[in-house]
Amino acid sequence: MIEEKFDAIVVGAGMAGNAAALTLAQRGLKVLQLERGEYSGSKNVQGAILYADMLEKLIPDFREDAPLERHLVEQRFWMMDDRSHTGLHYRSDDFNEEKPNRYTIIRAQFDKWFSQKVREAGATVLCETTVTELAQDAYGRVIGVRTDRADGEIHADVVVLAEGVNGLLGTRAHLRERPKPDKVALAVKEMHFLPRETIEARFNLKGDEGMVIEAAGTISRGMTGMGFIYANKECISLGIGCLVADFQRTGETPYGLLDRFKRHPSVAPLIEGSEVKEYAAHLIPEGGFKAIPQLYGEGWVVVGDAAQLNNAIHREGSNLAMTSGRIAAEAIFQVKSRKDPMTAENLALYKTMLDESFVIKDLKKYKDMPALMHTQSQNFFLTYPELVSRAMQNFLRVDGTPKVEKEKTTFKSFIKARSWSGLFGDAFRLARAWR
């Protein structure tokens, strides 16, 4: 056993883990962070969106040296059938501000930079170290971790579990249940490399401007899922994700969905001539507010994806992860400053503080949305996109048919595909869930 004892051990070096370790170290606590990868981000080739406000609270001057790709000036939403898309987009020059609000990033690069900031703050970071289980005393209180190193047991006053959505430490110690297939999505993604000028021409960008496309519809084959396209400096992140339960139910393959998405007439021209250099898959928590597990206990707290803190409706994850890691660290620091033990009663401060943040307030507001989208997936991701496409075809095609006849055809299509009572029922349920 390593005799040295720490104030806190952070398991994981993703967004939540780095935020927690950095905050603890900045406040003078003795921190050990453990990461199983070769370096922070080595197992994460995800392209992602970074929300500046949350990172500024941790590193105010991050823009000076963080590996940022593009700041986002445009967001597009596509509703797709097999051959078309109906789109909504918002673009504003206001986003070309001195300190932009959102950026695209490549996590393998960004997480490595983030980890270096943790080291500079004074934390000890050990990579290529797998935590095999939590160390507990005779009363079940967490007192540290056991690792795959020779002197593998390390003690600390509190352990921060930032191990990701499928982390096994908490479940092995019976601190929380393993996420169910209908509460987790599997996303697959490719990185398509193109010259910078080609990307800027295809997406109508200049300088470091960036844009994002988020797509839903028949691309998910009736399953609950979405596709995404992020324009980076010299590559395009393209991917799609669906619920694990839907993959089990339908027998569809993640790569099969991705391949169809790439070949869609609206997508193929954007990546034509690109070189694919990376392919990755990762799990994303999708259960929302009702899937959040116990967040604290005797000698432990859980943050980020491991705590199911992901806003699937607004596609926000990294900001919730960073915020939960920071708040957990601030709560631990307050308990430590009072010289109180890291009991469940004292660590409940973390949940109290998190409940007052946007993280829980947003998840609670839309608590019914995930279940509605999951149970009505055939309607929202198959039937309605096809109906919208058919309506747009009728509206725009001029072929000598009277418009009144086209309107009748459109109405008949809606009635044939789904009764009006069912359509209005879905609209009513959606409005209630969005309230």
Side-chain angles (χ1 to χ4, degrees):
M1 184 183 77
I2 297 176
E3 296 300 329
E4 186 177 11
K5 184 178 180 182
F6 294 85
D7 293 318
I9 294 174
V10 179
V11 181
M15 289 291 199
N18 282 333
L22 177 67
T23 304
L24 290 165
Q26 287 174 335
R27 283 152 178 74
L29 272 64
K30 189 176 181 181
V31 182
L32 173 65
Q33 185 180 37
L34 301 172
E35 163 61 32
R36 66 188 178 94
E38 182 182 354
Y39 56 86
S40 176
S42 64
K43 294 184 176 296
N44 194 340
V45 294
Q46 175 192 10
I49 296 176
L50 173 74
Y51 300 87
D53 180 72
M54 291 70 196
L55 185 57
E56 276 185 316
K57 290 180 170 61
L58 297 163
I59 308 171
D61 59 351
F62 77 90
R63 293 179 179 86
E64 294 182 5
D65 60 350
L68 306 172
E69 288 293 305
R70 294 179 178 272
H71 69 274
L72 297 177
V73 298
E74 182 175 332
Q75 178 90 32
R76 301 180 192 175
F77 301 94
W78 286 358
M79 180 178 286
M80 308 178 78
D81 71 355
D82 291 341
R83 293 187 53 78
S84 67
H85 76 266
T86 303
L88 169 71
H89 75 263
Y90 179 76
R91 184 183 181 114
S92 175
D93 195 52
D94 289 345
F95 291 128
N96 282 314
E97 53 203 330
E98 182 180 355
K99 294 183 176 181
N101 178 253
R102 298 192 302 163
Y103 297 87
T104 57
I105 58 172
I106 298 173
R107 286 287 301 275
Q109 300 171 8
F110 181 85
D111 287 10
K112 191 174 184 178
W113 168 86
F114 203 170
S115 181
Q116 182 57 39
K117 296 298 180 182
V118 173
R119 288 184 171 90
E120 291 172 4
T124 300
V125 180
L126 290 181
C127 295
E128 297 183 283
T129 303
T130 300
V131 179
T132 56
E133 62 181 335
L134 295 173
Q136 296 173 281
D137 64 17
Y139 302 98
R141 180 182 179 279
V142 174
I143 57 173
V145 300
R146 296 188 181 93
T147 74
D148 58 354
R149 290 179 174 248
D151 296 323
E153 186 163 316
I154 314 169
H155 289 170
D157 293 329
V158 64
V159 174
V160 180
L161 295 170
E163 52 180 341
V165 64
N166 201 36
L168 298 177
L169 290 178
T171 55
R172 285 173 178 167
H174 307 292
L175 305 182
R176 67 178 188 276
E177 294 182 358
R178 190 169 184 174
K180 294 180 172 57
D182 63 344
K183 300 294 189 295
V184 180
L186 175 61
V188 290
K189 183 218 67 175
E190 289 179 342
M191 301 290 277
H192 291 253
F193 285 79
L194 286 164
R196 178 172 183 148
E197 57 271 20
T198 301
I199 293 175
E200 291 171 1
R202 290 181 182 180
F203 291 94
N204 189 27
L205 304 171
K206 64 179 185 292
D208 286 334
E209 291 178 342
M211 62 87 62
V212 167
I213 300 171
E214 293 177 328
T218 61
I219 55 170
S220 63
R221 313 287 286 184
M223 301 186 293
T224 301
M226 292 189 70
F228 59 87
I229 301 171
Y230 302 158
N232 301 311
K233 287 180 179 177
E234 296 181 339
C235 66
I236 296 169
S237 300
L238 182 149
I240 189 169
C242 293
L243 287 179
V244 171
D246 282 346
F247 282 122
Q248 292 177 333
R249 175 178 57 82
T250 63
E252 294 281 353
T253 63
Y255 188 78
L257 287 185
L258 182 63
D259 189 56
R260 281 190 290 268
F261 184 42
K262 289 192 301 182
R263 290 188 285 106
H264 191 280
S266 297
V267 176
L270 299 177
I271 58 173
E272 183 179 2
S274 64
E275 181 182 3
V276 182
K277 291 187 178 180
E278 294 177 353
Y279 171 82
H282 64 280
L283 293 172
I284 303 172
E286 293 279 328
F289 179 78
K290 294 181 179 179
I292 297 174
Q294 178 72 18
L295 295 174
Y296 62 92
E298 296 292 332
W300 62 273
V301 296
V302 59
V303 297
D305 282 1
Q308 289 277 323
L309 298 177
N310 180 67
N311 189 331
I313 304 304
H314 291 89
R315 286 83 55 205
E316 296 177 15
S318 64
N319 56 329
L320 277 67
M322 285 189 289
T323 301
S324 65
R326 174 180 59 81
I327 289 176
E330 290 173 349
I332 290 168
F333 176 71
Q334 288 192 35
V335 174
K336 189 75 174 177
S337 298
R338 298 195 300 260
K339 298 183 179 180
D340 289 335
M342 297 294 170
T343 61
E345 181 180 4
N346 291 328
L347 289 173
L349 176 63
Y350 163 47
K351 183 177 185 303
T352 299
M353 295 169 65
L354 195 65
D355 285 345
E356 292 301 313
S357 73
F358 78 93
V359 174
I360 298 300
K361 288 180 179 179
D362 284 354
L363 290 176
K364 191 172 184 179
K365 177 177 175 58
Y366 304 111
K367 63 181 183 298
D368 295 324
M369 284 293 289
L372 173 62
M373 302 301 283
H374 299 170
T375 57
Q376 304 293 328
S377 61
Q378 286 285 325
N379 295 336
F380 290 118
F381 297 97
L382 197 61
T383 303
Y384 298 154
E386 290 175 339
L387 291 176
V388 168
S389 177
R390 200 173 307 163
M392 293 302 297
Q393 280 266 357
N394 282 337
F395 181 77
L396 296 173
R397 187 181 292 276
V398 177
D399 55 8
T401 305
K403 288 293 187 290
V404 65
E405 293 298 325
K406 287 179 175 290
E407 291 170 358
K408 289 180 180 178
T409 300
T410 298
F411 288 137
K412 287 179 181 178
S413 295
F414 273 82
I415 293 172
K416 182 178 179 181
R418 182 141 171 88
S419 70
W420 282 108
S421 60
L423 181 62
F424 284 130
D426 283 344
F428 177 71
R429 286 187 289 271
L430 187 62
R432 284 195 62 189
W434 199 268
R435 66 189 184 279

